[in-house]
Amino acid sequence: MDKIYEPTQNYRLVKAEELLDVVQEKKNDGKRLLQMFVTHVYGAYEAIYIFDEGDYKIECIVTYVEDDETLASVSDFYPYACYYEKEAVELYGVKINTGDSFNKLYHIAEETPYVSRFDIR
Amino acid sequence: MFPDSILDNEVAMSKTSIIPFGPQHPVLPEPIHLDLEIEDEKVIRAIPSIGFVHRGLESLVRKKDYNEMVYIVERTCGICSFMHGMGYCEAVENLMEVKVPKRAKFLRTMWSEMSRVHSHLLWLGLFADAFGFEALFYQAWRYREKVLDLFEMSTGGRCIFSVNKVGGVVRDVPEDMLKHFKQVFTDLKKDVKVIGDTFLKDKTVNMRLRGVGVLTKEQILDMGAVGPFARGSGITHDLRMTGYDAYPELSFEPIFETDGDNYARTKVRIMEIYQSIDLICEVIDKMPTGPVSIPVKGNPDGEYAMRLEQPRGEAVYFVKGNGTKYLDRFRLRTPTFANIPAMVESLKGAELSDVPLYIHSIDPCISCTER
């Protein structure tokens, strides 16, 4: 191959209230959202947003919200993010105002099945 | 004779109805459900839902140690099982800074490209079946069998191979078998050329594929699509360019087309089959000697996100270790999940009879999505 891109990755912790500003900056810079997912850790939700920084580099934006708090939706900037957010809401029970037009993505019998199974203490 | 309202086009055109499509449908290989909102025969909106066979494999990461988890991750899917195991192992290896032997890297590359060849042949068959060309379907799957036979010969399995482990691979492939592989793939390339030409040059196939399901480069970027589906619209993104495994030592350039329709996606996949066969032959020529695995000591601690180019596109394997033999978190983002939003977007304005083609054009693997 003529050119090999060295994959590198950064982790950045941001406050939940600053999340939208950071994501808007990423969108303005033309970065691609690879995925978003949550885990229930130490009594709070840890949300990780992975962005493609170009040239095959990635950056992980990590934020935390309390159980009763609502995580801001980034689907205004990345329309397809609502699929990841719906997965987080329906499987993990985090509160996000996904704000899209269809109600349920996952047809499963148990509601929010991963809340207790992924609880890291 | 007829009431005025029926003859009035405006009234008849404005009637909207919802047609449920799947999860059981003759052309759907796996369970995905779409509520198609249609006006006459035109789809104006599609609402997807999944989760019918959700297995919760990710949650098993808290019950299995990081070595046992390889066999769980492989069982995510029966088609791309090798690369799922490899992606997980490479994520853990990068996290633990394990240097995998060179021969193991070459063997992994060879098996990965073999997975791509058989996955694309499977897709070509299913796609031909979806547009009603059954002879092409049988031919594509007949050639796929040859690749599965080679998998069985080298790994012992046809669906689940279990040859990956953290630190390398568990099986070596002897030199005479590698020579046999090269001969089979050289012959296979000539055979696949026949069905490849039928897909790309046959008039009836062209009529069903050209100009159908067009997505522009901007739409693909807005919807976050990946893999051959995105490369059909002019995106050059291919993670093999990051140079994992043996790719830095191979002659590789991403294949892409710019038309953005189903024909372009088909062409990308057919060209990728030829390219993968060339890569396999090159890997066999350059195969180094030496061990195929090294012992791994310690436990993973920290976070790592590994990305691989699966046959269907980019897959992301995120692992988070805590210094014990049990990982805190494993998350797999599959290419099909990333392609669903773009597929739903492309369905707007589609004819109802073309809906199966639109769904097949992303090469859907719901088994991966329902991990």
Side-chain angles (χ1 to χ4, degrees):
Chain A
M1 282 196 297
D2 297 336
K3 189 176 178 186
I4 300 165
Y5 299 91
E6 285 296 323
T8 55
Q9 33 196 280
N10 299 320
Y11 292 88
R12 201 166 129 201
L13 186 65
V14 300
K15 289 179 185 167
E17 55 268 25
E18 293 167 4
L19 177 70
L20 285 184
D21 294 337
V22 173
V23 174
Q24 186 170 20
E25 201 178 297
K26 293 275 181 203
K27 177 70 182 176
N28 293 344
D29 293 344
K31 312 297 186 204
R32 189 165 65 98
L33 176 67
L34 287 180
Q35 67 164 333
M36 170 267 174
F37 59 95
V38 300
T39 318
H40 199 229
V41 283
Y42 308 112
Y45 283 104
E46 178 191 61
I48 302 182
Y49 298 78
I50 305 184
F51 288 91
D52 189 336
E53 294 285 292
D55 281 352
Y56 301 96
K57 295 184 178 69
I58 60 174
E59 184 167 53
C60 301
I61 304 291
V62 185
T63 189
Y64 291 88
V65 285
E66 297 291 326
D67 282 1
D68 52 350
E69 285 178 349
T70 303
L71 184 65
S73 168
V74 301
S75 57
D76 284 347
F77 307 118
Y78 295 94
Y80 58 93
C82 73
Y83 286 77
Y84 298 106
E85 289 174 348
K86 274 196 170 296
E87 185 181 67
V89 170
E90 292 173 18
L91 300 186
Y92 296 86
V94 65
K95 290 177 188 160
I96 307 177
N97 292 326
T98 48
D100 67 285
S101 51
F102 65 99
N103 292 325
K104 206 165 165 61
L105 180 64
Y106 275 85
H107 278 249
I108 44 177
E110 198 180 338
E111 276 194 20
T112 62
Y114 285 166
V115 176
S116 55
R117 284 177 198 156
F118 271 122
D119 202 0
I120 299 165
R121 294 180 194 283
Chain B
M1 202 161 61
F2 291 107
D4 286 348
S5 60
I6 291 181
L7 297 174
D8 185 349
N9 271 344
E10 211 170 295
V11 174
M13 288 290 285
S14 65
K15 193 181 175 192
T16 304
S17 37
I18 293 178
I19 293 188
F21 193 93
Q24 302 288 326
H25 192 278
V27 295
L28 276 184
E30 293 181 78
I32 180 172
H33 174 80
L34 291 166
D35 278 324
L36 301 171
E37 211 171 288
I38 63 161
E39 263 180 20
D40 288 344
E41 290 282 308
K42 270 211 183 331
V43 178
I44 53 170
R45 189 163 164 248
I47 301 169
S49 48
I50 52 175
F52 297 95
V53 287
H54 192 75
R55 292 164 292 166
L57 294 182
E58 286 172 5
S59 65
L60 285 173
V61 79
R62 310 295 308 281
K63 293 176 184 165
K64 304 281 180 188
D65 75 43
Y66 72 91
N67 285 313
E68 291 171 334
M69 192 61 195
V70 181
Y71 305 109
I72 305 289
V73 178
E74 279 200 333
R75 277 153 179 79
T76 305
C77 171
I79 302 164
C80 23
S81 70
F82 176 79
M83 292 178 83
H84 280 315
M86 183 175 108
Y88 170 80
C89 287
E90 294 200 0
V92 176
E93 284 158 5
N94 281 314
L95 187 55
M96 298 174 75
E97 295 177 354
V98 175
K99 296 279 177 216
V100 177
K102 209 170 170 187
R103 189 173 173 89
K105 286 186 173 185
F106 272 70
L107 285 172
R108 279 180 179 176
T109 309
M110 184 184 78
W111 279 318
S112 301
E113 292 305 323
M114 282 166 64
S115 298
R116 198 177 315 278
V117 172
H118 97 75
S119 174
H120 282 354
L121 282 170
L122 176 131
W123 178 82
L124 284 175
L126 288 174
F127 202 50
D129 189 39
F131 60 70
F133 202 148
E134 292 210 352
L136 209 49
F137 162 53
Y138 296 134
Q139 288 295 329
W141 279 43
R142 193 162 69 87
Y143 296 137
R144 177 176 173 253
E145 278 300 305
K146 292 185 183 179
V147 187
L148 292 185
D149 288 344
L150 297 183
F151 264 120
E152 190 175 6
M153 198 185 289
S154 56
T155 67
R158 291 170 71 86
C159 279
I160 306 291
F161 310 117
S162 299
V163 282
N164 277 300
K165 70 170 188 175
V166 178
V169 293
V170 296
R171 270 174 184 248
D172 200 355
V173 181
E175 292 303 321
D176 52 344
M177 197 186 283
L178 288 175
K179 274 184 197 157
H180 173 66
F181 275 29
K182 194 176 172 187
Q183 186 56 50
V184 172
F185 277 109
T186 310
D187 296 342
L188 186 68
K189 193 174 177 183
K190 291 174 199 154
D191 294 338
V192 174
K193 186 104 183 37
V194 178
I195 57 166
D197 283 351
T198 312
F199 268 103
L200 299 177
K201 292 175 185 167
D202 186 85
K203 192 181 166 190
T204 50
V205 177
N206 270 252
M207 282 166 70
R208 282 307 300 273
L209 302 185
R210 280 200 189 268
V212 176
V214 178
L215 282 177
T216 62
K217 192 175 178 180
E218 288 69 33
Q219 281 176 305
I220 289 282
L221 290 171
D222 278 350
M223 289 293 143
V226 294
F229 182 67
R231 287 197 287 277
S233 296
I235 308 279
T236 56
H237 195 264
D238 191 317
L239 283 159
R240 286 174 281 180
M241 292 295 283
T242 55
Y244 61 86
D245 286 338
Y247 291 107
E249 296 179 42
L250 305 176
S251 48
F252 170 76
E253 284 294 325
I255 289 170
F256 65 98
E257 289 288 320
T258 51
D259 289 349
D261 57 1
N262 281 344
Y263 181 83
R265 290 161 203 151
T266 310
K267 192 171 179 185
V268 167
R269 287 185 175 108
I270 290 171
M271 293 302 160
E272 282 191 358
I273 294 177
Y274 302 150
Q275 185 189 49
S276 292
I277 291 176
D278 290 343
L279 286 172
I280 292 166
C281 294
E282 199 179 341
V283 165
I284 291 172
D285 288 341
K286 294 181 177 172
M287 183 76 73
T289 53
V292 292
S293 67
I294 56 162
V296 177
K297 289 175 186 166
N299 293 315
D301 194 2
E303 296 166 343
Y304 197 86
M306 176 74 200
R307 293 193 288 164
L308 284 186
E309 192 66 28
Q310 288 264 14
R312 291 170 174 78
E314 169 193 52
V316 187
Y317 304 82
F318 178 88
V319 291
K320 184 177 182 180
N322 54 10
T324 69
K325 64 179 181 176
Y326 296 99
L327 292 171
D328 262 356
R329 183 78 165 99
F330 166 65
R331 157 84 186 180
L332 166 56
R333 199 296 310 270
T334 58
T336 301
F337 193 85
N339 282 337
I340 287 176
M343 184 263 286
V344 168
E345 182 68 20
S346 75
L347 279 170
K348 288 177 185 168
E351 292 292 330
L352 185 59
S353 57
D354 284 337
V355 168
L357 282 184
Y358 283 71
I359 297 174
H360 272 290
S361 72
I362 66 163
D363 193 0
C365 182
I366 307 303
S367 175
C368 286
T369 310
E370 307 282 26
R371 70 224 173 271

